[in-house]
C-alpha cells in the first residue's frame, strides 16, 4: 500500500507562500510516487490556484472541510462539488478543530463523509481522543463511538480514509509511543473492518499529531500506519519534504 502524506495547512498561507511551497513539494514528491501519494490541503480560498499550479505533478489537492448539503444558502461554506470541480481528490472531515470550534458532531461528520463520497471525493475522516478522555481510560471507547457513528454506509471500498489524531498530540510536540500508535491503529482497523465488512488490508489509517521530519520515519514504519496527516510541519518546505522522503 502506498503511504499517504497529507499536509493540512489549517488557516495559514497566502498565494506567494502557496506557490513556492507547492513547487518545492512537487519537486520532491514527483520522485517518490511509487511509495507515497502526497496531498496538500490549503485553506479553501487557495485550493483553486494550488490545483492549477500542481497540474502535471503527482501531488493532489484536498479541502479542509465540506458542507453536508450539495448547495444552498450556507454563507461561508464550501460544497464537496466545488472542491471536486477545482480538482480536489480528497477532503478532510471531522478534524478535532472543526469539532471543537464549530461544534461538529459525529453525525455531522458522517453526513459530510457521505456527501464527499457521493461527489467522488475521498473523505479523510478524522478521529481521536482528548487528553481527559485518555487519562480517564476512555480512549478506545471514544474511538469506537467515532468509528460507529462517523463512517457512512457509502464507505464500501477504497473510497474513504481514516486519520487517527489524538487531540492532545496536535500542535503540542507530544506524540504517543510507537507501541501506543501500533495498538490504536490495530484497534481502529479491526473495528472499522467489522463496521464496514471490508478486509483489514483495505482499511487505510493515517496517524496525525506532531509529525515532524525527525519522527516521521519511526512513525511511518509502525505496522498499520498507512501515512501521516501533518499540520505545522507541512508549512515548512524542508520539513515536509523530509516527511515525504521518510514515506
Ligand atoms: P500538527 O502536525 O501541527 O500537530 O497538527 C496535526 C493536525 O492537526 C493535522 O490535521
Amino acid at each position: 500500500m502506498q503511504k499517504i502524506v497529507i499536509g493540512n495547512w489549517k488557516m495559514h498561507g497566502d498565494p506567494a507562500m502557496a506557490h513556492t511551497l507547492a513547487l518545492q513539494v512537487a519537486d520532491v514528491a514527483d520522485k517518490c510516487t511509487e511509495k507515497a501519494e502526497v496531498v496538500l490541503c490549503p485553506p479553501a480560498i487557495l485550493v483553486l490556484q494550488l490545483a492549477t499550479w500542481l497540474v502535471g505533478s503527482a501531488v493532489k489537492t484536498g479541502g479542509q472541510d465540506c458542507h453536508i448539503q450539495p448547495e444552498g444558502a450556507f454563507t461561508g461554506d464550501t460544497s464537496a462539488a466545488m472542491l471536486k470541480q477545482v480538482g480536489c481528490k480528497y477532503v478532510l472531515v471531522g478534524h478535532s478543530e472543526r469539532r471543537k470550534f464549530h461544534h461538529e458532531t459525529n453525525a455531522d461528520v458522517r453526513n459530510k463523509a457521505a456527501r464527499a463520497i457521493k461527489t467522488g471525493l475521498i473523505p479523510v475522516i478524522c478521529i481521536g481522543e482528548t487528553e481527559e478522555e485518555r487519562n480517564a481510560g476512555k480512549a478506545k471507547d471514544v474511538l469506537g463511538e467515532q468509528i460507529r457513528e462517523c463512517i457512512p454506509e457509502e464507505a464500501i471500498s477504497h473510497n474513504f480514509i481514516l486519520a487517527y489524531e489524538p487531540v492532545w498530540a496536535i500542535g503540542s510536540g507530544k506524540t504517543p509511543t510507537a507501541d501506543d500508535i501500533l495498538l490504536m491503529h490495530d484497534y481502529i482497523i479491526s473495528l472499522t473492518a467489522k463496521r464496514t465488512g471490508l478486509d483489514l488490508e483495505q482499511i487505510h489509517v493515517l496517524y496525525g499529531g506532531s509529525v515532524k521530519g525527525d519522527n516521521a520515519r519511526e512513525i511511518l514504519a509502525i505496522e498499520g500506519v498507512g501515512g501521516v496527516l501533518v499540520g505545522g510541519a507541512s508549512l515548512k518546505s524542508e520539513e515536509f519534504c523530509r516527511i515525504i522522503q521518510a514515506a
Side-chain angles (χ1 to χ4, degrees):
M1 212 185 244
Q2 227 184 359
K3 301 278 189 195
I4 300 180
V5 178
I6 304 182
N8 172 13
W9 291 4
K10 308 192 178 185
M11 199 171 72
H12 295 285
D14 58 59
M17 160 275 193
H19 187 240
T20 309
L21 196 54
L23 298 189
Q24 287 169 342
V25 167
D27 193 43
V28 173
D30 286 348
K31 297 181 187 110
C32 308
T33 49
E34 244 177 76
K35 297 281 167 85
E37 164 124 311
V38 177
V39 186
L40 297 177
C41 297
I45 192 131
L46 293 171
V47 168
L48 171 60
Q49 269 181 307
L50 201 81
T52 311
W53 293 325
L54 289 171
V55 168
S57 151
V59 178
K60 305 291 189 288
T61 44
Q64 294 180 9
D65 178 47
C66 69
H67 199 275
I68 291 164
Q69 297 297 336
E71 62 178 345
F74 303 106
T75 303
D77 280 311
T78 306
S79 73
M82 290 166 183
L83 294 171
K84 176 80 180 164
Q85 282 154 12
V86 298
C88 285
K89 178 174 178 185
Y90 296 91
V91 61
L92 309 180
V93 294
H95 192 281
S96 62
E97 287 148 19
R98 300 288 315 170
R99 293 175 188 261
K100 181 174 175 190
F101 300 118
H102 296 265
H103 314 291
E104 288 185 10
T105 63
N106 286 344
D108 294 329
V109 177
R110 181 180 64 246
N111 289 330
K112 287 180 180 213
R115 176 61 56 200
I117 292 173
K118 284 182 201 153
T119 310
L121 290 172
I122 299 177
V124 180
I125 304 171
C126 303
I127 58 173
E129 81 285 357
T130 64
E131 189 150 37
E132 298 76 61
E133 289 161 346
R134 168 166 284 234
N135 291 343
K138 291 188 185 149
K140 282 190 171 176
D141 291 344
V142 170
L143 291 174
E145 197 169 283
Q146 290 175 335
I147 289 166
R148 277 190 299 278
E149 296 181 4
C150 296
I151 301 178
E153 297 302 317
E154 289 80 358
I156 44 164
S157 61
H158 293 294
N159 62 2
F160 77 104
I161 292 174
L162 288 167
Y164 171 52
E165 295 206 303
V167 180
W168 51 273
I170 296 176
S172 64
K174 291 189 271 184
T175 53
T177 62
D179 281 349
D180 228 359
I181 296 177
L182 177 76
L183 215 76
M184 290 308 213
H185 276 242
D186 183 58
Y187 177 71
I188 292 166
I189 291 169
S190 58
L191 217 62
T192 304
K194 268 192 215 139
R195 166 77 182 76
T196 58
L198 294 170
D199 295 336
L200 299 178
E201 313 76 63
Q202 291 180 289
I203 295 159
H204 215 122
V205 185
L206 315 184
Y207 168 80
S210 295
V211 177
K212 306 267 184 278
D214 281 342
N215 61 15
R217 198 169 287 272
E218 188 197 0
I219 291 171
L220 282 157
I222 300 167
E223 204 185 316
V225 173
V228 284
L229 179 51
V230 186
S234 73
L235 295 165
K236 298 171 214 146
S237 161
E238 207 186 304
E239 186 87 8
F240 192 57
C241 288
R242 280 179 68 201
I243 298 171
I244 297 168
Q245 278 158 340

